[in-house]
Amino acid sequence: CSALDVLDRKLALLQPGVIQQVASQASKLEEKLKKGADGGASAQVTAKLSTLLQTVERWDAVSLLLPSILARLKSLRGVHERAAAAVSSIDDVKARQEWVSAGLREQQKALEEARGTLRDNVATMLSNLQTVEERVKKLEAAKG
């Protein structure tokens, strides 16, 4: 049983009809005690019953608020569950984003390495082309 279920059962005891019955019975007992009072002992019981009656009357007012409070708590439980699911989803998205970012960093590094290698290869090819052109010029100069 959840705490909300326990509150729901206890709320049933605090319905205005139940509280009125208890208050009525307390009043009847108080009247009986006043009629058959023998002095000190009944005064203590009367005081206790008066205190009990005041407590019942106070809880009577509070009991009217309990259904709405219980309904709010039940709706908040759903909100809490959805919030927990949202947090979990956000954590998953963050993990995926980190994975994608790491992959992009690796791809960027590989691209930079490829650019560097291509630059080196272009420089080597230009150097080789210049060497070949010089040889061709020397060969043409020697023939001609």
Side-chain angles (χ1 to χ4, degrees):
C1 288
S2 72
L4 291 178
D5 294 333
V6 171
L7 279 175
D8 207 16
R9 284 195 304 261
K10 288 185 179 187
L11 175 64
L13 296 175
L14 295 174
Q15 294 300 320
V18 174
I19 291 176
Q20 287 172 354
Q21 281 180 331
V22 171
S24 173
Q25 288 175 356
S27 295
K28 287 177 186 177
L29 286 173
E30 187 177 19
E31 287 175 22
K32 283 182 183 180
L33 285 173
K34 283 181 184 179
K35 287 181 184 177
D38 64 346
S42 66
Q44 289 176 351
V45 172
T46 302
K48 287 181 182 178
L49 285 175
S50 292
T51 304
L52 177 63
L53 185 59
Q54 289 172 357
T55 303
V56 166
E57 289 172 351
R58 182 176 43 133
W59 280 105
D60 187 33
V62 172
S63 72
L64 299 174
L65 299 174
L66 287 177
S68 65
I69 291 171
L70 190 60
R72 285 187 214 157
L73 286 173
K74 286 180 179 178
S75 68
L76 284 175
R77 178 174 44 186
V79 169
H80 175 71
E81 289 170 355
R82 288 190 301 275
V87 167
S88 177
S89 295
I90 289 171
D91 289 343
D92 289 344
V93 167
K94 284 182 179 178
R96 288 183 190 148
Q97 183 180 13
E98 192 60 39
W99 179 77
V100 168
S101 294
L104 286 174
R105 284 190 297 270
E106 288 177 20
Q107 294 296 322
Q108 184 69 28
K109 183 179 175 184
L111 179 62
E112 290 300 321
E113 289 175 5
R115 283 182 181 161
T117 303
L118 183 61
R119 221 176 287 119
D120 293 345
N121 288 343
V122 166
T124 302
M125 287 176 62
L126 288 175
S127 173
N128 289 344
L129 184 60
Q130 188 177 14
T131 303
V132 169
E133 284 178 356
E134 288 174 6
R135 285 184 181 173
V136 168
K137 285 182 184 175
K138 285 181 185 177
L139 287 174
E140 285 179 351
K143 277 188 171 184

